[in-house]
């Protein structure tokens, strides 16, 4: 199991609300719990439903998709260590320890595709 990012909403979201919100934005549901996004002709996992939306990103593309999904749901994306991932002026940022780090432009991160991070 990798590092988890959780979609946190003030009021708990029901699975039906999540399913309704994600479809118009191009996300799909596979099986009973997997949320995927397409890159080219292939579908790639972004998150799973486990009573809430949880992602274990392995690429910048997956982080960007999680940020996009979180924005659609009107929620916050929070890491295991309490850091918050957000979108501001088209840029994905991480707020942690009183500082802000830019990860990159959302459009460029998505365009780059789901290539996994190198160890």
């Amino acid at each position: 199991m990798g590092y988890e990012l959780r979609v946190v909403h003030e009021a708990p979201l029901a699975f039906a609300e999540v399913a309704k919100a994600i479809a118009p934005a191009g996300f799909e549901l596979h099986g009973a719990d997997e949320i995927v996004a397409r890159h080219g002709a292939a579908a790639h996992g972004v998150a799973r439903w486990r009573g809430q939306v949880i992602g274990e990103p392995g690429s910048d593309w997956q982080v960007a998709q999680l940020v996009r999904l979180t924005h659609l749901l009107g929620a916050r994306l929070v890491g295991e260590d309490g850091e918050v991932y957000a979108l501001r002026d088209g840029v994905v940022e991480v707020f942690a320890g009183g500082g802000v780090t830019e990860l990159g432009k959302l459009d460029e991160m998505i365009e780059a595709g789901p290539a996994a991070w190198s160890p």
Side-chain angles (χ1 to χ4, degrees), residues 11-23 28-36 47-54 69 73:
L13 291 170
F15 183 68
E17 293 174 283
V18 172
K20 183 178 177 182
I22 66 173
E28 302 171 9
L29 293 174
H30 283 199
D33 68 348
E34 186 176 20
I35 299 170
V36 302
R48 293 197 176 275
W49 175 259
R50 295 186 184 132
Q52 70 184 87
V53 178
I54 298 173
L69 177 61
L73 296 172

PDB file of all heavy atoms in Angstrom, residues 11-23 28-36 47-54 69 73:
ATOM      1  N   ALA A  11     -19.296  17.723   4.821  1.00  0.00           N
ATOM      2  CA  ALA A  11     -20.359  16.754   5.109  1.00  0.00           C
ATOM      3  C   ALA A  11     -19.988  15.474   4.380  1.00  0.00           C
ATOM      4  O   ALA A  11     -19.522  15.520   3.236  1.00  0.00           O
ATOM      5  CB  ALA A  11     -21.712  17.269   4.614  1.00  0.00           C
ATOM      6  N   PRO A  12     -20.143  14.332   5.016  1.00  0.00           N
ATOM      7  CA  PRO A  12     -19.787  13.078   4.338  1.00  0.00           C
ATOM      8  C   PRO A  12     -20.513  12.939   2.999  1.00  0.00           C
ATOM      9  O   PRO A  12     -21.690  13.284   2.881  1.00  0.00           O
ATOM     10  CB  PRO A  12     -20.264  12.004   5.317  1.00  0.00           C
ATOM     11  CG  PRO A  12     -20.302  12.678   6.638  1.00  0.00           C
ATOM     12  CD  PRO A  12     -20.669  14.111   6.352  1.00  0.00           C
ATOM     13  N   LEU A  13     -19.778  12.482   2.015  1.00  0.00           N
ATOM     14  CA  LEU A  13     -20.345  12.262   0.690  1.00  0.00           C
ATOM     15  C   LEU A  13     -20.842  10.828   0.579  1.00  0.00           C
ATOM     16  O   LEU A  13     -20.174   9.903   1.015  1.00  0.00           O
ATOM     17  CB  LEU A  13     -19.295  12.495  -0.390  1.00  0.00           C
ATOM     18  CG  LEU A  13     -18.830  13.921  -0.604  1.00  0.00           C
ATOM     19  CD1 LEU A  13     -17.619  13.932  -1.524  1.00  0.00           C
ATOM     20  CD2 LEU A  13     -19.944  14.762  -1.198  1.00  0.00           C
ATOM     21  N   ALA A  14     -21.980  10.676  -0.055  1.00  0.00           N
ATOM     22  CA  ALA A  14     -22.486   9.347  -0.378  1.00  0.00           C
ATOM     23  C   ALA A  14     -21.893   8.933  -1.718  1.00  0.00           C
ATOM     24  O   ALA A  14     -21.580   9.773  -2.560  1.00  0.00           O
ATOM     25  CB  ALA A  14     -24.006   9.366  -0.454  1.00  0.00           C
ATOM     26  N   PHE A  15     -21.748   7.646  -1.918  1.00  0.00           N
ATOM     27  CA  PHE A  15     -21.185   7.140  -3.167  1.00  0.00           C
ATOM     28  C   PHE A  15     -21.998   7.638  -4.370  1.00  0.00           C
ATOM     29  O   PHE A  15     -21.426   7.989  -5.405  1.00  0.00           O
ATOM     30  CB  PHE A  15     -21.134   5.619  -3.139  1.00  0.00           C
ATOM     31  CG  PHE A  15     -20.501   5.036  -4.367  1.00  0.00           C
ATOM     32  CD1 PHE A  15     -19.152   5.227  -4.614  1.00  0.00           C
ATOM     33  CD2 PHE A  15     -21.239   4.298  -5.266  1.00  0.00           C
ATOM     34  CE1 PHE A  15     -18.554   4.692  -5.742  1.00  0.00           C
ATOM     35  CE2 PHE A  15     -20.650   3.761  -6.396  1.00  0.00           C
ATOM     36  CZ  PHE A  15     -19.301   3.958  -6.638  1.00  0.00           C
ATOM     37  N   ALA A  16     -23.310   7.705  -4.249  1.00  0.00           N
ATOM     38  CA  ALA A  16     -24.161   8.175  -5.340  1.00  0.00           C
ATOM     39  C   ALA A  16     -23.832   9.622  -5.713  1.00  0.00           C
ATOM     40  O   ALA A  16     -23.845   9.976  -6.892  1.00  0.00           O
ATOM     41  CB  ALA A  16     -25.633   8.054  -4.961  1.00  0.00           C
ATOM     42  N   GLU A  17     -23.506  10.459  -4.731  1.00  0.00           N
ATOM     43  CA  GLU A  17     -23.133  11.849  -5.002  1.00  0.00           C
ATOM     44  C   GLU A  17     -21.818  11.912  -5.772  1.00  0.00           C
ATOM     45  O   GLU A  17     -21.662  12.707  -6.699  1.00  0.00           O
ATOM     46  CB  GLU A  17     -22.984  12.634  -3.703  1.00  0.00           C
ATOM     47  CG  GLU A  17     -24.265  12.852  -2.937  1.00  0.00           C
ATOM     48  CD  GLU A  17     -24.000  13.512  -1.604  1.00  0.00           C
ATOM     49  OE1 GLU A  17     -23.550  12.798  -0.674  1.00  0.00           O
ATOM     50  OE2 GLU A  17     -24.230  14.733  -1.504  1.00  0.00           O
ATOM     51  N   VAL A  18     -20.891  11.085  -5.370  1.00  0.00           N
ATOM     52  CA  VAL A  18     -19.592  11.039  -6.047  1.00  0.00           C
ATOM     53  C   VAL A  18     -19.781  10.583  -7.488  1.00  0.00           C
ATOM     54  O   VAL A  18     -19.280  11.207  -8.424  1.00  0.00           O
ATOM     55  CB  VAL A  18     -18.612  10.105  -5.299  1.00  0.00           C
ATOM     56  CG1 VAL A  18     -17.337   9.905  -6.097  1.00  0.00           C
ATOM     57  CG2 VAL A  18     -18.307  10.662  -3.915  1.00  0.00           C
ATOM     58  N   ALA A  19     -20.527   9.501  -7.684  1.00  0.00           N
ATOM     59  CA  ALA A  19     -20.758   8.967  -9.027  1.00  0.00           C
ATOM     60  C   ALA A  19     -21.426   9.997  -9.932  1.00  0.00           C
ATOM     61  O   ALA A  19     -21.051  10.141 -11.103  1.00  0.00           O
ATOM     62  CB  ALA A  19     -21.611   7.701  -8.942  1.00  0.00           C
ATOM     63  N   LYS A  20     -22.379  10.720  -9.407  1.00  0.00           N
ATOM     64  CA  LYS A  20     -23.097  11.732 -10.191  1.00  0.00           C
ATOM     65  C   LYS A  20     -22.184  12.896 -10.567  1.00  0.00           C
ATOM     66  O   LYS A  20     -22.256  13.416 -11.675  1.00  0.00           O
ATOM     67  CB  LYS A  20     -24.291  12.245  -9.390  1.00  0.00           C
ATOM     68  CG  LYS A  20     -25.143  13.232 -10.126  1.00  0.00           C
ATOM     69  CD  LYS A  20     -26.334  13.650  -9.288  1.00  0.00           C
ATOM     70  CE  LYS A  20     -27.158  14.706 -10.011  1.00  0.00           C
ATOM     71  NZ  LYS A  20     -28.281  15.163  -9.201  1.00  0.00           N
ATOM     72  N   ALA A  21     -21.301  13.290  -9.675  1.00  0.00           N
ATOM     73  CA  ALA A  21     -20.424  14.441  -9.915  1.00  0.00           C
ATOM     74  C   ALA A  21     -19.279  14.147 -10.877  1.00  0.00           C
ATOM     75  O   ALA A  21     -18.843  15.033 -11.609  1.00  0.00           O
ATOM     76  CB  ALA A  21     -19.862  14.935  -8.588  1.00  0.00           C
ATOM     77  N   ILE A  22     -18.785  12.917 -10.883  1.00  0.00           N
ATOM     78  CA  ILE A  22     -17.566  12.637 -11.651  1.00  0.00           C
ATOM     79  C   ILE A  22     -17.810  12.359 -13.123  1.00  0.00           C
ATOM     80  O   ILE A  22     -16.960  12.659 -13.953  1.00  0.00           O
ATOM     81  CB  ILE A  22     -16.749  11.505 -11.023  1.00  0.00           C
ATOM     82  CG1 ILE A  22     -17.490  10.173 -11.094  1.00  0.00           C
ATOM     83  CG2 ILE A  22     -16.345  11.846  -9.603  1.00  0.00           C
ATOM     84  CD1 ILE A  22     -16.680   8.972 -10.646  1.00  0.00           C
ATOM     85  N   ALA A  23     -18.943  11.803 -13.470  1.00  0.00           N
ATOM     86  CA  ALA A  23     -19.197  11.400 -14.860  1.00  0.00           C
ATOM     87  C   ALA A  23     -19.106  12.561 -15.855  1.00  0.00           C
ATOM     88  O   ALA A  23     -18.453  12.414 -16.895  1.00  0.00           O
ATOM     89  CB  ALA A  23     -20.537  10.691 -14.971  1.00  0.00           C
ATOM     90  N   GLU A  28     -14.691   7.779 -14.773  1.00  0.00           N
ATOM     91  CA  GLU A  28     -15.560   6.609 -14.914  1.00  0.00           C
ATOM     92  C   GLU A  28     -15.446   5.749 -13.666  1.00  0.00           C
ATOM     93  O   GLU A  28     -14.450   5.825 -12.944  1.00  0.00           O
ATOM     94  CB  GLU A  28     -15.131   5.768 -16.122  1.00  0.00           C
ATOM     95  CG  GLU A  28     -15.129   6.493 -17.434  1.00  0.00           C
ATOM     96  CD  GLU A  28     -14.482   5.671 -18.547  1.00  0.00           C
ATOM     97  OE1 GLU A  28     -14.188   4.471 -18.347  1.00  0.00           O
ATOM     98  OE2 GLU A  28     -14.251   6.245 -19.618  1.00  0.00           O
ATOM     99  N   LEU A  29     -16.454   4.944 -13.453  1.00  0.00           N
ATOM    100  CA  LEU A  29     -16.412   3.958 -12.377  1.00  0.00           C
ATOM    101  C   LEU A  29     -16.164   2.592 -12.999  1.00  0.00           C
ATOM    102  O   LEU A  29     -16.817   2.221 -13.964  1.00  0.00           O
ATOM    103  CB  LEU A  29     -17.733   3.933 -11.610  1.00  0.00           C
ATOM    104  CG  LEU A  29     -18.057   5.186 -10.823  1.00  0.00           C
ATOM    105  CD1 LEU A  29     -19.462   5.086 -10.235  1.00  0.00           C
ATOM    106  CD2 LEU A  29     -17.043   5.405  -9.722  1.00  0.00           C
ATOM    107  N   HIS A  30     -15.213   1.872 -12.466  1.00  0.00           N
ATOM    108  CA  HIS A  30     -14.945   0.496 -12.886  1.00  0.00           C
ATOM    109  C   HIS A  30     -15.178  -0.385 -11.668  1.00  0.00           C
ATOM    110  O   HIS A  30     -14.650  -0.115 -10.596  1.00  0.00           O
ATOM    111  CB  HIS A  30     -13.513   0.334 -13.383  1.00  0.00           C
ATOM    112  CG  HIS A  30     -13.318   0.872 -14.764  1.00  0.00           C
ATOM    113  ND1 HIS A  30     -12.255   0.509 -15.540  1.00  0.00           N
ATOM    114  CD2 HIS A  30     -14.028   1.735 -15.519  1.00  0.00           C
ATOM    115  CE1 HIS A  30     -12.318   1.137 -16.705  1.00  0.00           C
ATOM    116  NE2 HIS A  30     -13.389   1.891 -16.710  1.00  0.00           N
ATOM    117  N   GLY A  31     -15.966  -1.412 -11.866  1.00  0.00           N
ATOM    118  CA  GLY A  31     -16.287  -2.278 -10.742  1.00  0.00           C
ATOM    119  C   GLY A  31     -17.111  -1.517  -9.725  1.00  0.00           C
ATOM    120  O   GLY A  31     -17.745  -0.516 -10.023  1.00  0.00           O
ATOM    121  N   ALA A  32     -17.056  -1.966  -8.513  1.00  0.00           N
ATOM    122  CA  ALA A  32     -17.872  -1.373  -7.458  1.00  0.00           C
ATOM    123  C   ALA A  32     -17.202  -0.190  -6.779  1.00  0.00           C
ATOM    124  O   ALA A  32     -17.861   0.564  -6.080  1.00  0.00           O
ATOM    125  CB  ALA A  32     -18.194  -2.432  -6.407  1.00  0.00           C
ATOM    126  N   ASP A  33     -15.874  -0.009  -7.008  1.00  0.00           N
ATOM    127  CA  ASP A  33     -15.221   1.016  -6.197  1.00  0.00           C
ATOM    128  C   ASP A  33     -14.092   1.795  -6.861  1.00  0.00           C
ATOM    129  O   ASP A  33     -13.536   2.688  -6.249  1.00  0.00           O
ATOM    130  CB  ASP A  33     -14.682   0.375  -4.922  1.00  0.00           C
ATOM    131  CG  ASP A  33     -13.537  -0.597  -5.172  1.00  0.00           C
ATOM    132  OD1 ASP A  33     -13.281  -0.957  -6.334  1.00  0.00           O
ATOM    133  OD2 ASP A  33     -12.901  -0.992  -4.186  1.00  0.00           O
ATOM    134  N   GLU A  34     -13.718   1.493  -8.078  1.00  0.00           N
ATOM    135  CA  GLU A  34     -12.570   2.159  -8.682  1.00  0.00           C
ATOM    136  C   GLU A  34     -12.995   3.333  -9.555  1.00  0.00           C
ATOM    137  O   GLU A  34     -13.851   3.209 -10.425  1.00  0.00           O
ATOM    138  CB  GLU A  34     -11.746   1.178  -9.529  1.00  0.00           C
ATOM    139  CG  GLU A  34     -10.469   1.806 -10.038  1.00  0.00           C
ATOM    140  CD  GLU A  34      -9.572   0.849 -10.801  1.00  0.00           C
ATOM    141  OE1 GLU A  34     -10.066  -0.191 -11.266  1.00  0.00           O
ATOM    142  OE2 GLU A  34      -8.390   1.157 -10.923  1.00  0.00           O
ATOM    143  N   ILE A  35     -12.351   4.488  -9.335  1.00  0.00           N
ATOM    144  CA  ILE A  35     -12.563   5.684 -10.148  1.00  0.00           C
ATOM    145  C   ILE A  35     -11.366   5.784 -11.080  1.00  0.00           C
ATOM    146  O   ILE A  35     -10.213   5.775 -10.637  1.00  0.00           O
ATOM    147  CB  ILE A  35     -12.665   6.939  -9.266  1.00  0.00           C
ATOM    148  CG1 ILE A  35     -13.868   6.809  -8.314  1.00  0.00           C
ATOM    149  CG2 ILE A  35     -12.786   8.194 -10.132  1.00  0.00           C
ATOM    150  CD1 ILE A  35     -13.927   7.864  -7.232  1.00  0.00           C
ATOM    151  N   VAL A  36     -11.646   5.874 -12.384  1.00  0.00           N
ATOM    152  CA  VAL A  36     -10.581   5.923 -13.384  1.00  0.00           C
ATOM    153  C   VAL A  36     -10.745   7.153 -14.266  1.00  0.00           C
ATOM    154  O   VAL A  36     -11.811   7.749 -14.343  1.00  0.00           O
ATOM    155  CB  VAL A  36     -10.558   4.649 -14.262  1.00  0.00           C
ATOM    156  CG1 VAL A  36     -10.377   3.399 -13.415  1.00  0.00           C
ATOM    157  CG2 VAL A  36     -11.797   4.543 -15.116  1.00  0.00           C
ATOM    158  N   ALA A  47      -8.497   6.647  -8.065  1.00  0.00           N
ATOM    159  CA  ALA A  47      -8.871   6.524  -6.658  1.00  0.00           C
ATOM    160  C   ALA A  47      -9.809   5.340  -6.476  1.00  0.00           C
ATOM    161  O   ALA A  47     -10.274   4.749  -7.442  1.00  0.00           O
ATOM    162  CB  ALA A  47      -9.546   7.805  -6.183  1.00  0.00           C
ATOM    163  N   ARG A  48     -10.089   5.047  -5.215  1.00  0.00           N
ATOM    164  CA  ARG A  48     -11.056   4.005  -4.853  1.00  0.00           C
ATOM    165  C   ARG A  48     -12.032   4.579  -3.848  1.00  0.00           C
ATOM    166  O   ARG A  48     -11.702   5.476  -3.088  1.00  0.00           O
ATOM    167  CB  ARG A  48     -10.366   2.794  -4.243  1.00  0.00           C
ATOM    168  CG  ARG A  48      -9.500   2.057  -5.230  1.00  0.00           C
ATOM    169  CD  ARG A  48      -9.179   0.654  -4.722  1.00  0.00           C
ATOM    170  NE  ARG A  48      -8.434  -0.089  -5.707  1.00  0.00           N
ATOM    171  CZ  ARG A  48      -8.977  -0.776  -6.710  1.00  0.00           C
ATOM    172  NH1 ARG A  48     -10.268  -0.802  -6.871  1.00  0.00           N
ATOM    173  NH2 ARG A  48      -8.235  -1.437  -7.558  1.00  0.00           N
ATOM    174  N   TRP A  49     -13.226   3.999  -3.854  1.00  0.00           N
ATOM    175  CA  TRP A  49     -14.233   4.365  -2.876  1.00  0.00           C
ATOM    176  C   TRP A  49     -14.123   3.396  -1.703  1.00  0.00           C
ATOM    177  O   TRP A  49     -14.261   2.187  -1.876  1.00  0.00           O
ATOM    178  CB  TRP A  49     -15.630   4.306  -3.492  1.00  0.00           C
ATOM    179  CG  TRP A  49     -16.698   4.572  -2.476  1.00  0.00           C
ATOM    180  CD1 TRP A  49     -17.476   3.647  -1.855  1.00  0.00           C
ATOM    181  CD2 TRP A  49     -17.071   5.833  -1.946  1.00  0.00           C
ATOM    182  NE1 TRP A  49     -18.316   4.265  -0.981  1.00  0.00           N
ATOM    183  CE2 TRP A  49     -18.095   5.614  -1.010  1.00  0.00           C
ATOM    184  CE3 TRP A  49     -16.647   7.143  -2.165  1.00  0.00           C
ATOM    185  CZ2 TRP A  49     -18.695   6.646  -0.296  1.00  0.00           C
ATOM    186  CZ3 TRP A  49     -17.246   8.167  -1.463  1.00  0.00           C
ATOM    187  CH2 TRP A  49     -18.257   7.912  -0.545  1.00  0.00           C
ATOM    188  N   ARG A  50     -13.837   3.920  -0.527  1.00  0.00           N
ATOM    189  CA  ARG A  50     -13.766   3.118   0.702  1.00  0.00           C
ATOM    190  C   ARG A  50     -14.499   3.880   1.813  1.00  0.00           C
ATOM    191  O   ARG A  50     -13.931   4.197   2.844  1.00  0.00           O
ATOM    192  CB  ARG A  50     -12.316   2.864   1.098  1.00  0.00           C
ATOM    193  CG  ARG A  50     -11.571   2.014   0.088  1.00  0.00           C
ATOM    194  CD  ARG A  50     -10.186   1.660   0.594  1.00  0.00           C
ATOM    195  NE  ARG A  50      -9.466   0.924  -0.428  1.00  0.00           N
ATOM    196  CZ  ARG A  50      -8.237   1.196  -0.810  1.00  0.00           C
ATOM    197  NH1 ARG A  50      -7.572   2.170  -0.252  1.00  0.00           N
ATOM    198  NH2 ARG A  50      -7.658   0.475  -1.743  1.00  0.00           N
ATOM    199  N   GLY A  51     -15.763   4.232   1.518  1.00  0.00           N
ATOM    200  CA  GLY A  51     -16.523   5.076   2.430  1.00  0.00           C
ATOM    201  C   GLY A  51     -16.188   6.535   2.233  1.00  0.00           C
ATOM    202  O   GLY A  51     -16.860   7.425   2.726  1.00  0.00           O
ATOM    203  N   GLN A  52     -15.129   6.790   1.510  1.00  0.00           N
ATOM    204  CA  GLN A  52     -14.694   8.103   1.046  1.00  0.00           C
ATOM    205  C   GLN A  52     -13.751   7.849  -0.126  1.00  0.00           C
ATOM    206  O   GLN A  52     -13.344   6.719  -0.376  1.00  0.00           O
ATOM    207  CB  GLN A  52     -14.019   8.904   2.159  1.00  0.00           C
ATOM    208  CG  GLN A  52     -12.662   8.375   2.580  1.00  0.00           C
ATOM    209  CD  GLN A  52     -12.083   9.148   3.750  1.00  0.00           C
ATOM    210  OE1 GLN A  52     -12.362   8.839   4.876  1.00  0.00           O
ATOM    211  NE2 GLN A  52     -11.294  10.158   3.469  1.00  0.00           N
ATOM    212  N   VAL A  53     -13.410   8.886  -0.846  1.00  0.00           N
ATOM    213  CA  VAL A  53     -12.519   8.746  -2.000  1.00  0.00           C
ATOM    214  C   VAL A  53     -11.076   8.775  -1.498  1.00  0.00           C
ATOM    215  O   VAL A  53     -10.666   9.715  -0.817  1.00  0.00           O
ATOM    216  CB  VAL A  53     -12.774   9.875  -3.027  1.00  0.00           C
ATOM    217  CG1 VAL A  53     -11.808   9.742  -4.194  1.00  0.00           C
ATOM    218  CG2 VAL A  53     -14.213   9.847  -3.516  1.00  0.00           C
ATOM    219  N   ILE A  54     -10.328   7.723  -1.849  1.00  0.00           N
ATOM    220  CA  ILE A  54      -8.931   7.597  -1.426  1.00  0.00           C
ATOM    221  C   ILE A  54      -8.083   7.258  -2.646  1.00  0.00           C
ATOM    222  O   ILE A  54      -8.404   6.351  -3.408  1.00  0.00           O
ATOM    223  CB  ILE A  54      -8.771   6.495  -0.363  1.00  0.00           C
ATOM    224  CG1 ILE A  54      -9.578   6.847   0.886  1.00  0.00           C
ATOM    225  CG2 ILE A  54      -7.295   6.282  -0.026  1.00  0.00           C
ATOM    226  CD1 ILE A  54      -9.610   5.752   1.918  1.00  0.00           C
ATOM    227  N   LEU A  69     -10.472  15.953  -9.321  1.00  0.00           N
ATOM    228  CA  LEU A  69     -11.619  15.257  -8.748  1.00  0.00           C
ATOM    229  C   LEU A  69     -12.073  15.942  -7.458  1.00  0.00           C
ATOM    230  O   LEU A  69     -13.263  16.166  -7.237  1.00  0.00           O
ATOM    231  CB  LEU A  69     -11.246  13.797  -8.481  1.00  0.00           C
ATOM    232  CG  LEU A  69     -12.272  12.901  -7.822  1.00  0.00           C
ATOM    233  CD1 LEU A  69     -13.521  12.779  -8.679  1.00  0.00           C
ATOM    234  CD2 LEU A  69     -11.678  11.530  -7.572  1.00  0.00           C
ATOM    235  N   LEU A  73     -15.730  17.884  -6.467  1.00  0.00           N
ATOM    236  CA  LEU A  73     -16.546  17.478  -5.332  1.00  0.00           C
ATOM    237  C   LEU A  73     -16.661  18.570  -4.270  1.00  0.00           C
ATOM    238  O   LEU A  73     -17.346  18.394  -3.274  1.00  0.00           O
ATOM    239  CB  LEU A  73     -15.982  16.200  -4.711  1.00  0.00           C
ATOM    240  CG  LEU A  73     -16.007  14.965  -5.609  1.00  0.00           C
ATOM    241  CD1 LEU A  73     -15.245  13.810  -4.961  1.00  0.00           C
ATOM    242  CD2 LEU A  73     -17.438  14.562  -5.935  1.00  0.00           C
TER     243      LEU A  73
END
